[in-house]
Amino acid sequence: MMAPPHSPDRILALDALRGIAVIGIVGMNVHAFALPGPAYYNPLSYGAVDAADYRVWLASFIFIEDKFRTLFAMLFGAGCLILIERGGERPWRAHYARMIVLFAIGLVHAALLASNDILRAYALAGLALPLLAGLSARALVTVGLGLLMVHLALGLTAFGSVLVDFHVKHSGSDALLWAERQFGRDPAAIAALLEQGREGFAERVVRRSLGIPAQLATLFASLPLNLAAVALGMGLWKGGMLKGEWRTFHLQRLAAGCALASLPVLLGLAGWLVVQGFPAALVGPVALVISAPFDTLLGMAYAALAMAFLARDSALTRRLAAVGRLSLTNYLMTSVILAAIFASWGLGLFGEVTRWQALVLGLVPVVAMLVWSPAWVARLGQGPFERLWRAGAKALS
């Protein structure tokens, strides 16, 4: 089937980039659905039985983990700015209405399907847009980089006691025991998480709904990092890069610079964890804090490469653009498909697969997106959840 024609008021490469972002997120989300929580960061926790699993962890850590989340957040910031720039009556009221509805969708998504939902975090970051929208492209990039440093400082402070106790070999400390439960190989914690992952649908909804207030602390802790990506996306839009205005040479130079600044450090961090034997006290800070600036740089490299090589109107670009036009629906439907594979009310494969097997099963929602998105866009245009978001925001504003 041919990909649908693209609307003249849309930027083909930008939609295709959004499609790449939502596809890339599957690469890590599949492990959140398939394995106990600590295994998301630590291959020794669970699900690694041979060399292929460690290679999958290494590739994910360097090329996937948080890179596509960052890219998605950048595109979210650019998308919000596009809508604000189009104006209309009461643009800020309409913007806040969109954020409220998006947060509500995220709450339902987190309770029913995915506790690691990112929509809530993006909606909270979107509330700060009035402080950023009037800034120049250079100022927005500066703010984004500054917020990354804030995330780094706050994160290292939060993990300070863990790192200190690890350094002085205080093995029985509360901080190290907490880290072991969150990022390590604590047998009791893994057993409890395996049992929890096999609970029934109604039981899970009740548990996750009751845990929503506690999740707010985590959402606010992630605000500097997510807002950094949002600000960078706004800056790249104002600077013309995401508008498709940069020459290919400049895009390639940006991608090369970001890759050269990030890949050696990410390789070094991965090597550090391997040499140290994946201690939980290091896994958490490395995955959540220390790698963040370099994840962001590599996400920017992906954006530049996509804008350079997807600007040409081709069947692949149009198919990816269709996926991107339905990014909200595809993000949510990915959770539906992964739940159907791993949850107890589906095939029940949670905790039953290795890391590389989980990654292969992650191809199921990717293929589904690539197949159904062009057909939907060609016949109906907006996706069902895009329509819901738009209708809800219109009702509120």
Side-chain angles (χ1 to χ4, degrees):
M1 184 186 68
M2 294 181 63
H6 204 68
S7 302
D9 60 337
R10 301 187 70 95
I11 300 171
L12 186 67
L14 185 60
D15 279 338
L17 176 57
R18 191 174 287 111
I20 290 172
V22 75
I23 288 172
I25 286 174
V26 178
M28 284 311 296
N29 274 1
V30 67
H31 293 121
F33 278 86
L35 303 170
Y40 186 89
Y41 306 104
N42 189 338
L44 294 187
S45 293
Y46 195 86
V49 299
D50 56 33
D53 296 304
Y54 293 98
R55 293 191 186 100
V56 167
W57 170 82
L58 180 63
S60 297
F61 177 81
I62 294 173
F63 297 108
I64 299 175
E65 186 179 326
D66 273 346
K67 285 74 177 174
F68 291 98
R69 178 206 57 78
T70 296
L71 183 56
F72 208 29
M74 289 168 54
L75 295 169
F76 172 77
C80 287
L81 189 56
I82 290 169
L83 292 175
I84 291 166
E85 288 178 347
R86 288 178 181 174
E89 295 183 6
R90 301 176 295 185
W92 285 114
R93 182 170 178 176
H95 169 74
Y96 282 124
R98 288 192 292 271
M99 297 304 101
I100 291 170
V101 175
L102 184 65
F103 189 83
I105 293 173
L107 282 179
V108 175
H109 180 225
L112 297 183
L113 294 169
S115 58
N116 64 336
D117 167 80
I118 59 175
L119 302 178
R120 300 163 298 166
Y122 292 174
L124 290 176
L127 297 179
L129 258 67
L131 303 175
L132 302 175
L135 299 179
S136 67
R138 186 181 297 272
L140 284 165
V141 171
T142 301
V143 167
L145 296 177
L147 286 167
L148 279 175
M149 296 303 103
V150 170
H151 171 77
L152 194 61
L154 293 176
L156 290 176
T157 300
F159 279 104
S161 59
V162 174
L163 294 170
V164 169
D165 288 349
F166 175 76
H167 179 71
V168 301
K169 309 299 182 185
H170 190 187
S171 58
S173 74
D174 291 341
L176 289 182
L177 291 175
W178 171 85
E180 192 65 32
R181 289 192 295 270
Q182 300 297 318
F183 309 105
R185 289 165 274 178
D186 180 78
I190 296 297
L193 289 169
L194 286 171
E195 183 67 24
Q196 187 181 90
R198 292 163 183 153
E199 64 194 351
F201 181 74
E203 185 181 0
R204 177 167 297 187
V205 170
V206 170
R207 176 178 59 81
R208 286 181 172 173
S209 298
L210 293 175
I212 285 174
Q215 293 175 18
L216 290 176
T218 302
L219 292 175
F220 280 108
S222 71
L223 193 55
L225 181 59
N226 286 303
L227 192 54
V230 167
L232 287 170
M234 295 169 67
L236 293 174
W237 171 259
K238 283 197 172 185
M241 193 269 267
L242 294 179
K243 295 179 181 178
E245 295 176 353
W246 285 22
R247 296 176 59 185
T248 300
F249 169 74
H250 293 137
L251 292 166
Q252 292 172 333
R253 187 169 62 179
L254 174 63
C258 290
L260 288 173
S262 58
L263 285 175
V265 178
L266 291 169
L267 280 166
L269 290 173
W272 186 33
L273 292 178
V274 171
V275 170
Q276 292 291 328
F278 292 95
L282 294 183
V283 170
V286 167
L288 296 176
V289 180
I290 299 172
S291 66
F294 309 100
D295 296 334
T296 301
L297 286 173
L298 196 55
M300 290 179 62
Y302 292 167
L305 285 175
M307 295 305 294
F309 294 107
L310 295 177
R312 186 174 62 86
D313 190 344
S314 66
L316 174 62
T317 302
R318 285 175 173 267
R319 189 169 292 273
L320 289 171
V323 174
R325 288 183 64 176
L326 305 182
S327 57
L328 176 60
T329 294
N330 280 326
Y331 172 69
L332 297 172
M333 291 307 296
T334 291
S335 294
V336 173
I337 295 172
L338 293 179
I341 295 172
F342 296 108
S344 62
W345 56 89
L347 297 179
L349 294 183
F350 175 78
E352 301 294 332
V353 297
T354 66
R355 184 173 288 266
W356 77 262
Q357 290 169 339
L359 187 64
V360 171
L361 288 170
L363 295 175
V364 175
V366 171
V367 172
M369 283 189 272
L370 290 169
V371 170
W372 91 285
S373 297
W376 184 282
V377 171
R379 289 170 173 79
L380 298 170
Q382 279 189 319
F385 286 99
E386 283 78 9
R387 290 181 186 276
L388 174 64
W389 187 15
R390 183 177 181 179
K394 186 177 180 180
L396 286 179
S397 60

